[in-house]
Amino acid sequence: MNYALCIMNYFVPLQAKSGKLKRFLYIFLIFCALSVTAQPKYEVRAVWLTTLGGLDWPKSYAHDGMGIQRQQEDLCRILDQLKAINVNTVLFQTRVRATTAYPSELEPWEGSLSGIPGKTPGWDPLQFAIDECHRRGMELHAWVVAIPIGKWNTIGCKTMRKWYPSLVKRIGEEGYMNPEAYGTADYIANICEEITTRYDIDGIHLDYIRYPETWRGKMHHENITRIVRRVNERVKRYKPWVKMSCSPIGKYSNLSRYRSNGWDAYNRVAQDAQGWLREGLMDQLYPMMYFSGNNFYPFAIDWQEQSSGRTIVSGLGTYMLHPSERNWPLAEVKRQLSVTRQQGIGHCHFRTKFLLDNVKGIYDYMLQNDRHPALIPPMTWAQSIAPTAPTQLNVERTRGGDNLTWSGAIDQSDGSYLLYNIYASTEEPVDITRPENLIATRQKASQLSIHRQAGNKPMLHYAVTALDRYGNESQPIHSVDKTTPVVVTTLLANNGRVLTVPQRNLFDADLLLVCDLKGRTLQSFTNRPQINISRLPEGMYQLKSLHKKGYTHRLGLFTIKRK
């Protein structure tokens, strides 16, 4: 049984009987112990990095060269800390409140950079952030706040009122882009086009792409969808590999057994996020799931079930751990991370500061929870042709480590530049399906130095794959020890209904896990000589053993063919 579903079965009657509560906690503790090690190869691990008011960054103003240097050093320090916990996606707040963190021809500068709204800080933070993220193998998505444009008399709102008065609506002391005005879609699309064409971004992330909750009058879904559709058209026209995403309210709508209590995306603010997935307007969703208990788990599963094959990333309320907020126990976020991982859902922390401040030990926990790198799921719906494999992988072994060089691969899709993933293992050939063998991702250069202290450490073998802009990965090129024969993988025997389990590495195994080639668990069984695979569709799978101490072994691959 899937462990997340096991938790859900016990979740409903939590408040009924203490016996049920104890049983739930027991299963939960087992689940947490197992899930810490069950890290998938493909998973979005992200943060929202807020520049509004310098909440996450910057903490100082750039008045001169020293101020610029301090802002850059602070940002690099943040990215180094994120890299240490294997974050692979940074949502960098680029359009703030009709103000920008780059030199825009359309809107004034955000004031948190220079200290004076509208004044240049003397450098381009967006370009710097992109370069530094890419240097660390991370994606950078430009976070664009769509509808709110700040207080009525702030520079962003005043500029919009001056040049585009018909697009602005006042509600109380706040200014908003008017979703009802047809020109709003074109204007926001212009901003996203400017960012996309001028910068090597990996994604456009739309925030607050909805009606204000204080809106008076009827809300029409088509007005918001029109904006999303226009932005998608502009972005994909120039760079079809740039990921479109947004952060909808954490509950899409009422479920059959769980109510949204009046606060959901579809009914409350006309945000048809699941419809955008079905229409192909979004590649990823980051629902803001800053809830706990029954307000989190059923709705998280609903997002995944209605994903239309796209990528779902749960927005975690990491800030809720802080005593000044809801003072959640760390166990709440740990449980959410475990359940979403079992469901194939990624995670995104709101906000970066609370994560890096290690509130209640959350950063320490992430060091263990995400201790291996992960690749971002490929956009196979947009492009599925993998690059050719790199060639001529050479390893120079020195006292200080191993120096790898290889020849480049060929992108067979649109000719964009390729990136490279590097794998290492003491076993040969290197198994690239095992997440723990992944040591470096999204490298631009066709060389890498692996620093290892001289001693009696076992020799590492390596494999390198190419990665295109859509996330499609090539076959590997292996470093082959000429004195060691290459092991040919034999598929596990099955008749399409029953699989015979090999008995190696099973002496203390608790469970057998059937996984897809991305490492996601599809079925689990107690340790037995044969398992029933009749419910699995035709295709290729992995069989793994899960042991008492939490480590796993891959027992082999098998293919199901019933014709």
Side-chain angles (χ1 to χ4, degrees), residues 391-396 403-407 448 477-479:
T391 58
Q392 299 178 358
L393 173 57
N394 298 310
V395 180
E396 178 191 12
N403 297 321
L404 280 60
T405 59
W406 59 89
S407 297
L448 185 69
I477 177 70
H478 291 276
S479 64

Side-chain angles (χ1 to χ4, degrees), residues 406-422:
W406 59 89
S407 297
I410 299 174
D411 187 348
Q412 301 186 89
S413 56
D414 60 6
S416 300
Y417 70 86
L418 294 172
L419 304 169
Y420 298 97
N421 300 321
I422 296 87

